[in-house]
Amino acid sequence: MTPGSVTALALVNDPSHQVGFVLDGALWRAPMVNFHPLANTATTSVPRAGFRRFLEILGVSPRIVEFG
């Protein structure tokens, strides 16, 4: 797998919801999150509300885990 290809933004490529999405609680609560946009040559910053809306539109309910 190419570095940067495993990213929350890749959920857009899983319309049949074959992938379970586990997310660190600290990331879920962060005011801004950063992801590679399907390649590790750039980083995309997304506000918390925008990220949650993205997941909602995709119909993805993340499993929030406290890794601390």
Side-chain angles (χ1 to χ4, degrees), residues 25-59:
L27 189 60
W28 182 247
R29 294 183 300 274
M32 186 74 69
V33 292
N34 299 304
F35 300 105
H36 291 304
L38 306 179
N40 69 351
T41 56
T43 300
T44 301
S45 296
V46 182
R48 175 177 41 216
F51 178 55
R52 291 184 180 186
R53 179 71 178 134
F54 170 76
L55 295 176
E56 180 184 320
I57 289 168
L58 295 179

Side-chain angles (χ1 to χ4, degrees), residues 15-28:
S16 60
H17 302 280
Q18 297 293 309
V19 174
F21 184 50
V22 179
L23 188 66
D24 187 313
L27 189 60
W28 182 247

